[in-house]
Every structure is written in structure tokens, then in C-alpha cells.
């Protein structure tokens, strides 16, 4: 395709975006993924929009390296602006739900990477730990306090409202606050950190028990 995709985007697309899109299409046959967006293959269109957000963030930072919350916000904004999902869905905010889940999965992926990177264990042991976390730890949303709708639905609805029609030109306007949503992803990580830590400790405790049992035999 004569395009040089960034390493970060390639990882996010193949390990997170593709998987989530596959799950959505398999579980709801009313939806399909657009192959072309503004005459570009979808992966390329999404990556270009992702780059725009990364560049916008980097302009206001002393370092060019974005943390996971800003990366999550960038890919989230890129998805709801490109809108890859189409079809006769009952949920008008399908792309927003996809974007939210992609952002959360991005945060989780970096939480896992950071944890494994600190451990002095073999590649095989890290791979087993990674698979365990994939199966036993899911990012969750806070419980509602004063609202009747679930937190996730409210979040997706807020993302949906970033689209509006300009009264002057009649064209669609897009009002996505990269920094505000990066902060929300940061708070969602803090909310999930205790459960993540507990899951890690449980795995390591079981691994140590199995290792001791092996030594005794």
C-alpha cells in the first residue's frame, strides 16, 4: 500500500482494533466494517487520523513520547471520527462504544507490558502471565451513583455528542477534547488498578507455589 505505518499504531490496530471489530461483526450481523473511508483503505484512514491526534498532543508537550492515556485518547478520537462501523444497529453509538473499548484495551495493554517488563523471568513465563491476565482481568467501569444509565453508556453517549452539524455550513463539526478524555482514561486506570494488582499477585503466588512443589519433587 506504499504506506509506512508506525510501530505503535501497527500494534494497536492488529492486537486491539482488529480483534474488537471481529467480535462486534460476529456477534451482531447488522454491522459491517467499511473497507474504504474517503477513498482510503480503513487501516490507512484510521492511522492518518491517529497521527493527527498524536501530533496535536505532541505540540503541547516537552517530550514527544505520549503516555498510555494520551495514546488511548488519540485512538479513541480517531475511531469516532473515521466511523468504521456501519449497518442497521439498534445502538446509534456503536462506533463510540468501539472507541471506548479500544481506549480501555490500550490502557490495559500498557499496564500488562509495564508489569511484565519489570519481572526477571523467562519469555515463556511472561507469555504465560500475559495469557493469564488476558483471560482473568477485565477493565471495568465505576458503579453509578446518581444516574440511571450505566457508566459505559453515558461515556459512549458523551463521545457521540462530539459530532454536530454546523448551522452555517451544514457540514459536520467534530468537537473532541483529547486532553479531557486522556484524563478520563487515567482515572479509569486508577479505578482498575487494585483489581489488576490483585490478579497479578494471585498469579505470582500460584506460580511460586507450583515452583516450590516442582523443587520438592
Amino acid at each position: 500500500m506504499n504506506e509506512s505505518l508506525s510501530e505503535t499504531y501497527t500494534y494497536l490496530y492488529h492486537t486491539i482494533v482488529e480483534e474488537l471489530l471481529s467480535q462486534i461483526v460476529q456477534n451482531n450481523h447488522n454491522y459491517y466494517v467499511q473497507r474504504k473511508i474517503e477513498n482510503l483503505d480503513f487501516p490507512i484512514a484510521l492511522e492518518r487520523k491517529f497521527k493527527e491526534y498524536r501530533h496535536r498532543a505532541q505540540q503541547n508537550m516537552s517530550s514527544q513520547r505520549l503516555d498510555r492515556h494520551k495514546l488511548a485518547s488519540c485512538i479513541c478520537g480517531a475511531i469516532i471520527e473515521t466511523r468504521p462501523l456501519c449497518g442497521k444497529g439498534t445502538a446509534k453509538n456503536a462506533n463510540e462504544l468501539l472507541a471506548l473499548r479500544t481506549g480501555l484495551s490500550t490502557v490495559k495493554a500498557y499496564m500488562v507490558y509495564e508489569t511484565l517488563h519489570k519481572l526477571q523471568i523467562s519469555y515463556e513465563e511472561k507469555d504465560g502471565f500475559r495469557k493469564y491476565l488476558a483471560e482473568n482481568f477485565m477493565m471495568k467501569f465505576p458503579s453509578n451513583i446518581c444516574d440511571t444509565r450505566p457508566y459505559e453508556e453515558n461515556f459512549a453517549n458523551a463521545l457521540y455528542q462530539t459530532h454536530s452539524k454546523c448551522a452555517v455550513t451544514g457540514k459536520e463539526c467534530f468537537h473532541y477534547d483529547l486532553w479531557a478524555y486522556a484524563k478520563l482514561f487515567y482515572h479509569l486506570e486508577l479505578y482498575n488498578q487494585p483489581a489488576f494488582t490483585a490478579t497479578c499477585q494471585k498469579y505470582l503466588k500460584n506460580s511460586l507455589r507450583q515452583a516450590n512443589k516442582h523443587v520438592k519433587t
Side-chain angles (χ1 to χ4, degrees):
M1 291 182 289
N2 297 323
E3 290 281 351
S4 179
L5 304 181
S6 73
E7 183 178 344
T8 299
Y9 173 77
T10 300
Y11 172 78
L12 295 178
Y13 183 81
H14 287 299
T15 61
I16 298 175
V17 178
E18 265 191 337
E19 177 64 23
L20 288 172
L21 284 172
S22 177
Q23 291 176 14
I24 291 171
V25 173
Q26 288 178 15
N27 294 327
N28 192 329
H29 298 298
N30 289 323
Y31 290 116
Y32 65 93
V33 181
Q34 296 189 79
R35 294 185 61 187
K36 294 281 187 178
I37 295 176
E38 296 183 354
N39 296 320
L40 291 173
D41 289 328
F42 163 61
I44 304 300
L46 181 63
E47 198 247 359
R48 288 191 178 182
K49 190 58 63 177
F50 176 69
K51 276 185 175 179
E52 286 181 22
Y53 280 108
R54 287 190 69 175
H55 180 67
R56 189 184 306 175
Q58 289 165 341
Q59 286 181 317
N60 294 282
M61 297 175 60
S62 56
S63 171
Q64 294 297 294
R65 189 177 181 83
L66 303 187
D67 61 41
R68 52 180 168 258
H69 314 107
K70 295 181 184 67
L71 287 173
S73 186
C74 287
I75 194 67
C76 178
I79 287 174
I80 58 177
E81 192 162 352
T82 52
R83 290 181 168 180
L85 284 171
C86 293
K88 297 180 180 179
T90 55
K92 65 181 181 181
N93 54 5
N95 284 296
E96 286 69 29
L97 287 168
L98 167 65
L100 173 54
R101 282 294 174 179
T102 300
L104 273 181
S105 296
T106 299
V107 173
K108 175 183 174 179
Y110 280 91
M111 290 170 70
V112 172
Y113 171 80
E114 186 178 76
T115 298
L116 296 179
H117 184 69
K118 295 176 181 178
L119 296 176
Q120 299 297 319
I121 57 178
S122 68
Y123 174 83
E124 290 74 15
E125 290 172 314
K126 287 185 178 182
D127 192 49
F129 196 172
R130 185 182 295 107
K131 290 178 180 177
Y132 178 85
L133 289 171
E135 296 172 359
N136 293 276
F137 173 73
M138 297 294 294
M139 297 287 279
K140 295 182 179 180
F141 297 98
S143 301
N144 289 341
I145 300 176
C146 301
D147 207 325
T148 57
R149 293 182 177 179
Y151 185 99
E152 182 179 14
E153 184 180 342
N154 283 332
F155 200 133
N157 286 338
L159 290 173
Y160 184 80
Q161 295 303 320
T162 59
H163 293 271
S164 64
K165 194 171 184 179
C166 179
V168 178
T169 64
K171 296 181 179 179
E172 183 181 47
C173 295
F174 191 67
H175 314 280
Y176 179 78
D177 192 328
L178 165 67
W179 303 100
Y181 284 102
K183 195 69 174 179
L184 285 172
F185 283 118
Y186 168 71
H187 285 296
L188 285 171
E189 177 179 342
L190 290 182
Y191 177 78
N192 282 277
Q193 188 63 56
F196 179 74
T197 300
T199 305
C200 290
Q201 291 175 343
K202 182 178 180 180
Y203 177 84
L204 292 172
K205 185 177 180 180
N206 290 337
S207 296
L208 182 60
R209 186 183 297 119
Q210 292 296 324
N212 289 335
K213 186 182 297 185
H214 180 72
V215 170
K216 291 179 181 179
T217 57

